[in-house]
């Protein structure tokens, strides 16, 4: 069965501190992993995807197949990073069906 | 706003009533998805369309749920004989391009409350 686990429902860090949001997945096929973000009063939107290997808003995420993880990291948190973050597993079968984790609410304290 | 549009934003209904939600995707997006999100959980995939064809509906929660996308444009999601457990946020997303490169654009959702 496909599953995504985000062990932290809430995460609070101070501005300028490093941030790591954890994500573990379970999938027997070749995984495609994403991070989606929802800022206050905004729509759910794609932050980054592992195949792009890019840094968005200072965030990066590395797929570790051995540990079945896709943790999201940022070296220096900013107040505007406060949001709800969802890790998602993409099951590509003609279309991109996503299995989401429960989400982590990140709060950056000034 | 040229993004994905969902109506209504909120719907309050009594148990046993039927409800219908509408989603207007971004123009020229050929794929349209429906997700459901309950409190404290991430979105859960329900069904998707490629143009007007509904290619997967196995995740629709029961036979009370049905979705259509006539003419491959807007889509509707209907819930018959609503139950309190149907209370949730119903999200629509659209995309285009190859599945391996597609980017989903989500709407603001329809919040359903069943009393």
């Amino acid at each position: 069965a496909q599953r995504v686990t985000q062990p932290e429902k809430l995460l609070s860090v101070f501005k300028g501190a490093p941030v790591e949001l954890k994500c573990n997945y379970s999938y027997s096929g070749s995984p495609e992993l994403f991070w989606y973000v929802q800022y206050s009063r905004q729509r759910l939107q794609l932050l980054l995807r592992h195949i792009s290997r890019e840094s968005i808003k200072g965030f990066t995420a590395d797929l570790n197949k051995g540990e079945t993880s896709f943790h999201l990291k940022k070296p220096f948190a900013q107040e505007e990073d406060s949001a709800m973050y969802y890790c998602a597993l993409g099951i590509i079968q003609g279309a991109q069906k996503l299995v989401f984790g429960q989400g982590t609410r990140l709060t950056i304290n000034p | 706003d040229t993004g994905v549009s969902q109506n209504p934003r909120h719907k309050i209904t009594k148990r046993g009533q039927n409800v219908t939600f509408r989603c207007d995707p971004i123009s020229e997006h050929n794929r349209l998805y429906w997700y459901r999100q309950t409190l404290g959980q991430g979105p859960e995939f329900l069904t998707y369309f490629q143009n007007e064809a509904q290619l997967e509906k196995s995740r629709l929660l029961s036979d009370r749920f049905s979705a259509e996308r006539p003419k491959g444009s807007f889509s509707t999601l209907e819930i018959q004989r609503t139950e309190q457990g149907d209370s949730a946020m119903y999200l629509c997303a659209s995309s285009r391009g190859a599945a391996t490169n597609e980017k989903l654009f989500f709407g603001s959702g329809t919040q359903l409350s069943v009393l």
Side-chain angles (χ1 to χ4, degrees), chain B residues 46-113:
Chain B
L46 294 179
T47 186
Y48 88 96
F49 294 83
Q50 179 142 330
N51 300 311
E52 66 273 14
Q54 188 175 13
L55 298 185
E56 179 164 343
K57 54 183 179 179
S58 59
R59 300 298 180 95
L60 284 173
L61 303 163
S62 78
D63 58 6
R64 297 184 297 104
F65 287 71
S66 62
E68 293 183 341
R69 193 184 182 195
K71 304 178 183 178
S73 56
F74 71 92
S75 175
T76 57
L77 178 69
E78 181 182 16
I79 309 174
Q80 296 182 327
R81 305 180 303 281
T82 52
E83 302 173 355
Q84 287 185 326
D86 298 332
S87 295
M89 175 72 83
Y90 290 84
L91 295 168
C92 176
S94 71
S95 70
R96 69 174 181 178
T100 51
N101 291 319
E102 71 178 315
K103 177 179 175 180
L104 297 190
F105 291 83
F106 282 86
S108 297
T110 294
Q111 181 68 53
L112 173 65
S113 298

Side-chain angles (χ1 to χ4, degrees), chain A residues 3-6 23-27 29-36 46-54 61-65 68-71 86-92 96-101, chain B residues 100:
Chain A
R3 186 183 303 132
V4 174
T5 303
Q6 293 179 250
C23 172
N24 288 88
Y25 67 91
S26 173
Y27 183 49
S30 182
E32 184 164 355
L33 276 301
F34 304 82
W35 278 98
Y36 277 78
L46 177 66
L47 179 62
L48 55 79
R49 57 197 303 171
H50 91 271
I51 60 171
S52 299
R53 302 185 69 82
E54 57 193 345
D62 291 318
L63 177 61
N64 186 323
K65 292 186 178 181
T68 60
S69 69
F70 188 58
H71 303 327
Y86 294 96
C87 181
L89 168 67
I91 301 168
I92 311 298
Q96 193 186 94
K97 296 177 290 182
L98 299 174
V99 176
F100 284 87
Chain B
T100 51

